[in-house]
Amino acid sequence: MLTIRENLLETMKGGNPDRFVKQYEFIDLIMEVPLGVEFNYGQTWKDHWGITWQWPEGQLGMFPVHHDGLAVIQDITEWKKTVVKPAIETSDEAWAPALAHANAVDRKEKFATVFYAPGIFEMTHHLMGMENALMALYEEPEAMQELIDYLTEYELDFAAVMVDKLHPEAILHHDDWGSQISSFVSPDMFEEFFLPAYKKIYKFYKDNGVELIIHHSDSYAANLVPYMIEAGIDIWQGVMNTNNIPELVEKYGDKITFMGGLHSGTVDYPGWEKEVVKKQVEETCKANGRKYFIPCQTSGLPIENFEGVIAYIDECIDEMSKELF
Amino acid sequence: MSKIEDVKVLVETGKSKKVAAAVQEALDAGDKAQDILDAMIASMGVVGDKFSSGEIFVPEMLIAAKAMSKGVEILKPVMAGDGSSSLGTCIMGTVAGDLHDIGKNLVVMMLESAGFDMVDLGVDVPAERFVEAVKENNNVVLVACSGLLTTTMPALKEAVQTIKAAYPDMKVIVGGAPVTQEYANEIGADGYAPDAGSSASKAKELIGA
């Protein structure tokens, strides 16, 4: 029997995995990284960029808010007046919990994986609101390019500290590039504004010992896959069924692995039902095959909203492994 | 190319800085304001169709809507007092507990471009607020409710049922990522649009325009 790590690599290279990779089993995620990202349930707060967030009680996530003058950038042509890179924690003390976790990872079985969010695209709209960010790409492209360069510099600065402190083997990097049915921007616009930024960021990680780039975008983004490959992404996590995953596996599987196929909203919901989950796991495993595909919830973290879902999905994946391997 | 054709192309391609002048030129050339408006509405119909088919993306739709609004600003004084161009008022909001606004804002733009007078209640809108808004505004012909989270689907249902309880004949359209036609039927909505691009044609169909 292959180790978890070996089985992942066999899956990714289209070799001879002996079972399905079970969701996030191959990563040991170091959430203690002092990113400055806060998760404050039921509260409203400002983050280290000055972005205002709200997490309504009873809901599953938090949202940046921009109404009533709350947006950090009111006028993209004057972004330099209001956007200031936060200080990056460099003290050993701040990194100690993350380092302790990194040192404790069983690297024979799992990849020591750091977490980074939000990515460049999300940062642009967190700072000024989605509509303004998207329109600015047309109306003030030079200013947007400057902003993107600035955000990229920050990411690279942070990456330098993170690889120095932790020597991670993988990164789980969040940046949602689309809705359920389309990418937010056209492939041409993505290529012009965001691909160069990601090529720099992911190249830096690769050049510094990070073997696996796992990019999370729980969306449609089939039209961006060639750019994902060009940017150096190894695994697209969050791929939704709206993408025609079998076609993507067939066309691009030898260059990138697709991780998803189980929409979190349809498996991880209040009062979730075993038969519903089991059916979806069966469908996604059978439809997408044993190579270049990892059955997983589209959620960007290995956590569940409603108790027991992850363990049950894993159980169903085990059953599919017995049937299909 | 006629002046109206110029306006159509400028709206479709989102040239917001040029549309106002083109609309003024069309008016100066003797084109009727209503005809110019109809042309712009038709352009936004094309934009919506292209979005639905994946030919264009959100930024293109946004700049087209902005261009249209710049054109409408020129037409408004000319058409003042002429209510014939309005399809009626539409109340729109994202339901309680849900702070998603992108899809909702896109639909507001598309419906506005189609000729509705839009009242945007924003996000996290309690069911009763939709009813109050119907009371507070004139000529309300449609209520549009958006919900983007599976966990706010009960709030979407509550909104639709509260509106229907207060105004049984009011047309209600729903949308959002987890929403399907089947779910819309189940909760008693009159219509469902799978994306912002198709929302305008569905809304017009519901009110018989």
Side-chain angles (χ1 to χ4, degrees), chain A residues 59 63 131 138-139 183-184, chain B residues 57 59-60 66 97 100 105 151:
Chain A
Q59 292 311 318
F63 303 79
E131 289 86 353
Y138 267 109
E139 295 178 337
S183 57
F184 286 127
Chain B
F57 297 81
E60 290 79 16
K66 184 174 177 181
H100 284 95
N105 292 349
T151 45

Side-chain angles (χ1 to χ4, degrees), chain A residues 89-133:
Chain A
E89 286 282 5
T90 54
S91 71
D92 289 345
E93 189 184 1
W95 284 84
L99 184 59
H101 188 157
N103 288 339
V105 174
D106 175 3
R107 297 190 183 210
K108 283 184 187 164
E109 284 285 342
K110 301 199 177 197
F111 288 83
T113 306
V114 288
F115 172 72
Y116 192 92
I120 302 293
F121 176 73
E122 288 183 354
M123 277 301 299
T124 64
H125 68 81
H126 289 177
L127 287 165
M128 67 184 104
M130 181 65 99
E131 289 86 353
N132 288 338

Side-chain angles (χ1 to χ4, degrees), chain A residues 54 56 59-60 63 130-131 134-135 138-139 180-181 183-187 189 223 265 270 306, chain B residues 16 57-60 62-63 66 97-102 105 109 149-152 177 194-195:
Chain A
Q54 280 181 1
Q59 292 311 318
L60 303 179
F63 303 79
M130 181 65 99
E131 289 86 353
L134 292 177
M135 283 198 287
Y138 267 109
E139 295 178 337
Q180 188 169 296
I181 52 174
S183 57
F184 286 127
V185 302
S186 69
M189 193 171 258
N223 53 349
F306 300 97
Chain B
S16 60
F57 297 81
V58 181
E60 290 79 16
L62 289 169
I63 59 168
K66 184 174 177 181
D98 199 329
L99 299 185
H100 284 95
D101 62 359
I102 302 155
N105 292 349
M109 286 179 203
L149 297 166
T150 51
T151 45
T152 51
D195 58 67

Side-chain angles (χ1 to χ4, degrees), chain A residues 3 7 33 35 60 73 82 117 151 156 196 218 282 285:
Chain A
T3 64
N7 193 52
V33 168
L35 261 179
L60 303 179
I73 299 174
T82 52
L151 297 170
L156 288 168
D218 54 341
E282 281 181 11
C285 288

